[in-house]
Amino acid sequence: MPAGDLAWLERELPIVAEGSHAPWGVGFLTWAADGGAVERALEFGPSAVMLSFGDPSPFAERIRRAGALLILQVTDLEEARRAVDLGADVIVAQGTESGGHGARRGRSTMAFVPVVVDLAGPVPVLAAGGMADGRGVAAALALGAAGALIGTRFQASAESLADPATTGAIVAGRTQDTERSGVLDIVRGSRWPSKYTARTLAHPFLDRWRGREAELAADGRAAQDYRDDVARGAVPPLPVWAGEGVDLITDLPSAAGLVHTLATQAEDALTRAVRGWAGTAGSPA
């Protein structure tokens, strides 16, 4: 949920709370959420609440009192230590390969996840960033994670509420088309903290303002040019958030089918790895 908008909550939460007997959760952008929005979400009895990007301290205890699991996404070691101190039930370690927002000066998933796993001790860690098939899930497990949180791959699925133009761009996109930058937040007037930039597919305004964020922030005409371009359809109304695993996304399967495929691929990858290790171990010196 973008910003803890109460009207959005009032519309969406009854749908999931009354329409499912399965566990469900709700997520907030921590820097944008307020206490009233979090309290309102808790009234519907979510099984879990996930907080990302910002200081979760003001919300952690009230979430725990409500009986919901506390899931904290972290993008650097400072955030990871704070998540442990706050008693997170699950920690999501997000690497810089991820689509959408993440740490401006973060670490890659491969380097970040094992450090967070060691820091978290018994707390389950989910790996996030750059995974789009079961081999990525297997790699996350090999790094010590309990599982994976996968975004871009599920955005390009049959049930996704993303605009068809967005899902089509993801299927057609390539890793070299993705870029992490703050340009599109600035030109859209988004209030994202400067600590976090966003990985998106190519965009004309990235080409126009790359490396000139300070100049862009001071140029009021640029924001109007952006709005004009959106209005006439020259650029999409929203950036296309996409991670570095986008090369592996070539279709729009159902979410259920995708979960089955990921699990099967992960099992196959781990089996091959074990067989390969066994074969190497058994070879003569």
Side-chain angles (χ1 to χ4, degrees), residues 43-102:
E43 291 175 11
F44 286 84
S47 305
V49 176
M50 180 172 171
L51 302 176
S52 306
F53 311 116
D55 182 7
S57 303
F59 309 109
E61 187 54 36
R62 69 183 75 179
I63 292 169
R64 188 173 292 104
R65 285 200 308 267
L69 295 176
L70 176 63
I71 304 174
L72 298 181
Q73 180 164 250
V74 303
T75 64
D76 59 31
L77 285 182
E78 179 184 355
E79 292 179 354
R81 293 188 185 97
R82 182 167 55 199
V84 172
D85 291 342
L86 288 172
D89 295 293
V90 178
I91 296 174
V92 178
Q94 185 205 51
T96 53
E97 300 95 325
S98 62
H101 287 83

Side-chain angles (χ1 to χ4, degrees), residues 2-3 28-34 52-55 59 101 190-193 196:
F28 290 91
L29 301 179
T30 313
W31 65 267
D34 62 39
S52 306
F53 311 116
D55 182 7
F59 309 109
H101 287 83
S190 176
R191 298 183 295 109
W192 271 88
Y196 305 108

Side-chain angles (χ1 to χ4, degrees), residues 163-209:
D163 188 282
T166 295
T167 55
I170 291 172
V171 170
R174 294 295 174 261
T175 298
Q176 63 265 30
D177 300 328
T178 72
E179 181 175 349
R180 183 169 290 283
S181 172
V183 165
L184 296 179
D185 283 335
I186 295 172
V187 78
R188 293 185 304 121
S190 176
R191 298 183 295 109
W192 271 88
S194 60
K195 175 180 179 178
Y196 305 108
T197 53
R199 184 175 297 282
T200 70
L201 292 179
H203 193 285
F205 273 77
L206 287 175
D207 295 334
R208 197 176 308 173
W209 290 98

Side-chain angles (χ1 to χ4, degrees), residues 103-115:
R104 180 185 293 271
R105 295 183 176 87
R107 305 185 187 190
S108 70
T109 304
M110 181 70 74
F112 188 45
V113 170
V115 178

